[in-house]
Amino acid sequence: MTLWIDCDPGIDDAIALLLALAAPELDLQGISTVAGNVPVTLTAANGLRILELAGYADVPLYAGCPVPLCRSPIFAADIHGEDGLGGVDLPPPQTQVNPLFGVTALIHALRQSPTPMTIATLGPLTNLAMALIQDPSLSQRIEKLVIMGGALGQGNITTAAEFNFYADPHAAQVVFDRVEAYAIPTTLIGLDLTHQVIATPAYQQRIAALNSPVSRAVVQMLATYAQTPEALERKFAGPPLHDPCVIAYLLQPQLFQTRSAQITIETQSSLTLGRSVIEWTIGPSPLQVATEIKVEGFFDLLITALQTCPA
Ligand code: RIB
Ligand code: CA
């Protein structure tokens, strides 16, 4: 599976990247970063830090949009730390961000890929929206989209909205309009799914027992992530692992249950901006929303992957 990851590292993005890098069945063509958890200069630098930690510094990484399509930028340094990776003990990147603009790099990769490419989005959808606005024909070059975002229930950045869709609601609406118009096979991994995937102390101890530079970095990042209001307010036994669920779906979709749906994003109301209004549908739909996951199977997959990352 040829894959492109668009992300805003971000602690859970970082763990998702490590899971993807450890999977030989994912042919990672490139990574574009976007403003989200922290500004795009930091999300790009953090992507490089993770690539170097895992021994994959040769994967091309690009910086994309520094601001959302319309709304004023928001960040989540209170959750992911000022550096975006929870202050993890990793050196600054030694490699460089590719100078090509991330949206342009994504467009080129889609056009040049010999087969349609899968795109995993782990942050606000600004880059993907910009690419689809610039060249609508790219929709035929997309094998499938797997998107982390949204919620049927309560949000995590406001009561109404999940962070990725709140940070750029207009981009989310642009993307889902095109999913519907061009029937792009899409799976949405929202909070109702990711809140089932809690990195409890027991799972964190299994990761720590791997005793490698990768596992030590993950445990450090999870210690910060465990303090997120999202987990504390819900009395979770640890931080929810949102973005790694996207990669797990690519690797083992059989761990998930999904339902056909249609989605609309609130782009007008100041009270419910970024709200994902999800309607279940009967019959075929390009959009599937993940509803259940086999949690033990997820952590077996993640921990095995972390074990195989080069020491
Ligand atoms: O709401 C969770 C999502 O927002 C995750 O992708 C997290 O990294 C942030 O981007
Ligand atoms: Ca993210």
Side-chain angles (χ1 to χ4, degrees):
M1 177 191 307
T2 53
L3 173 66
W4 187 277
I5 297 177
D6 188 76
C7 55
D8 63 332
I11 290 171
D12 58 326
D13 303 71
I15 298 170
L17 289 176
L18 290 169
L19 178 56
L21 291 166
E25 62 267 51
L26 299 181
D27 177 10
L28 184 54
Q29 296 298 299
I31 298 170
S32 48
T33 63
V34 67
N37 288 315
V38 288
V40 71
T41 49
L42 273 178
T43 60
N46 289 338
L48 292 177
R49 294 166 76 193
I50 294 302
L51 287 173
E52 291 167 21
L53 168 67
Y56 288 91
D58 58 329
V59 174
L61 182 140
Y62 309 84
C65 295
V67 292
L69 293 188
C70 304
R71 63 154 294 159
S72 55
I74 62 153
F75 302 108
D78 56 321
I79 295 167
H80 293 265
E82 288 305 316
D83 72 340
L85 294 183
V88 69
D89 182 17
L90 286 178
Q94 302 303 305
T95 48
Q96 300 295 315
V97 178
N98 189 298
L100 189 62
F101 181 45
V103 176
T104 308
L106 172 56
I107 291 171
H108 288 180
L110 284 167
R111 286 175 177 163
Q112 292 159 13
S113 177
T115 58
M117 198 159 67
T118 292
I119 301 176
T121 69
L122 312 180
L125 291 169
T126 319
N127 288 340
L128 180 55
M130 289 276 283
L132 292 171
I133 289 168
Q134 183 169 330
D135 182 355
S137 73
L138 291 175
S139 58
Q140 291 135 40
R141 305 297 303 143
I142 299 173
E143 174 79 21
K144 65 173 171 286
L145 296 176
V146 186
I147 295 170
M148 195 282 137
L152 282 144
Q154 186 176 331
N156 62 354
I157 190 71
T158 69
T159 302
E162 175 279 326
F163 178 82
N164 286 337
F165 290 1
Y166 183 70
D168 197 339
H170 304 88
Q173 190 58 60
V174 164
V175 168
F176 288 114
D177 280 346
R178 278 132 182 96
V179 165
E180 191 71 25
Y182 301 118
I184 304 172
T186 299
T187 301
L188 180 66
I189 308 282
L191 295 183
D192 313 88
L193 190 284
T194 63
H195 283 174
Q196 300 171 41
V197 184
I198 303 302
T200 63
Y203 287 129
Q204 294 188 42
Q205 282 153 19
R206 281 176 59 187
I207 294 170
L210 300 177
N211 194 26
S212 69
V214 167
S215 66
R216 282 192 289 275
V218 169
V219 168
Q220 280 181 9
M221 290 188 286
L222 288 177
T224 300
Y225 210 30
Q227 302 311 311
T228 173
E230 178 176 14
L232 299 178
E233 287 163 6
R234 292 170 174 81
K235 296 184 174 37
F236 288 160
L241 296 190
H242 307 291
D243 294 337
C245 289
V246 170
I247 307 303
Y249 180 79
L250 292 176
L251 294 171
Q252 293 189 12
Q254 69 277 14
L255 293 176
F256 296 75
Q257 289 184 25
T258 64
R259 285 186 63 178
S260 298
Q262 284 183 333
I263 188 171
T264 306
I265 309 297
E266 176 58 66
T267 58
Q268 306 298 322
S269 159
S270 58
L271 269 182
T272 57
L273 186 68
R275 177 76 184 154
S276 51
V277 179
I278 295 170
E279 306 282 350
W280 302 122
T281 59
I282 310 294
S285 163
L287 176 65
Q288 296 290 313
V289 173
T291 56
E292 300 285 337
I293 183 173
K294 291 176 180 160
V295 176
E296 190 64 30
F298 167 87
F299 279 101
D300 287 346
L301 174 66
L302 175 63
I303 292 164
T304 302
L306 294 177
Q307 198 166 17
T308 60
C309 269

